[in-house]
Amino acid sequence: MKWRISADILLLFSIFFAPFWCTAVIGIISVFLFNNFFEIIIAGFLLDILYSGSVPLWHVPYILSLFGLTLYLLSHFLKNTVFHNHHESSI
């Protein structure tokens, strides 16, 4: 639990004080390390609100929020697939 809170704090600080790529790396690592790391969606939304400005990235509003949601769903799917296949092969 303390590692997840530490990851949340690190992600929050990286949103405000680190370049975008650093925040993305922390988010991608965290979403695969922790179960149900929904904070990536909140981080994407916060990045959109803070840094998108009046012109959205690639002219798609809330692109970073959509990226966070996609990453969350993809990680959830991959974790279920890998662990499901792992349990079948061990039987």
Side-chain angles (χ1 to χ4, degrees):
M1 184 69 171
K2 67 179 179 178
W3 290 110
R4 184 172 179 137
I5 294 171
S6 299
D8 289 339
I9 292 170
L10 183 64
L11 185 66
L12 184 65
F13 278 115
S14 71
I15 288 172
F16 290 109
F17 301 115
F20 168 74
W21 60 268
C22 186
T23 304
V25 168
I26 293 168
I28 290 169
I29 291 171
S30 296
V31 82
F32 284 103
L33 280 179
F34 302 108
N35 291 331
N36 294 326
F37 194 75
F38 61 88
E39 291 91 336
I40 192 72
I41 302 168
I42 297 168
F45 186 69
L46 192 58
L47 282 168
D48 278 331
I49 289 173
L50 291 173
Y51 301 118
S52 288
S54 60
V55 179
L57 190 63
W58 294 307
H59 302 291
V60 178
Y62 302 109
I63 187 77
L64 297 174
S65 300
L66 292 173
F67 176 72
L69 179 63
T70 304
L71 188 62
Y72 175 78
L73 294 174
L74 181 68
S75 72
H76 187 70
F77 173 74
L78 287 175
K79 287 178 187 178
N80 286 340
T81 304
V82 168
F83 287 128
H84 180 69
N85 288 338
H86 176 69
H87 289 302
E88 284 182 354
S89 64
S90 65
I91 294 177

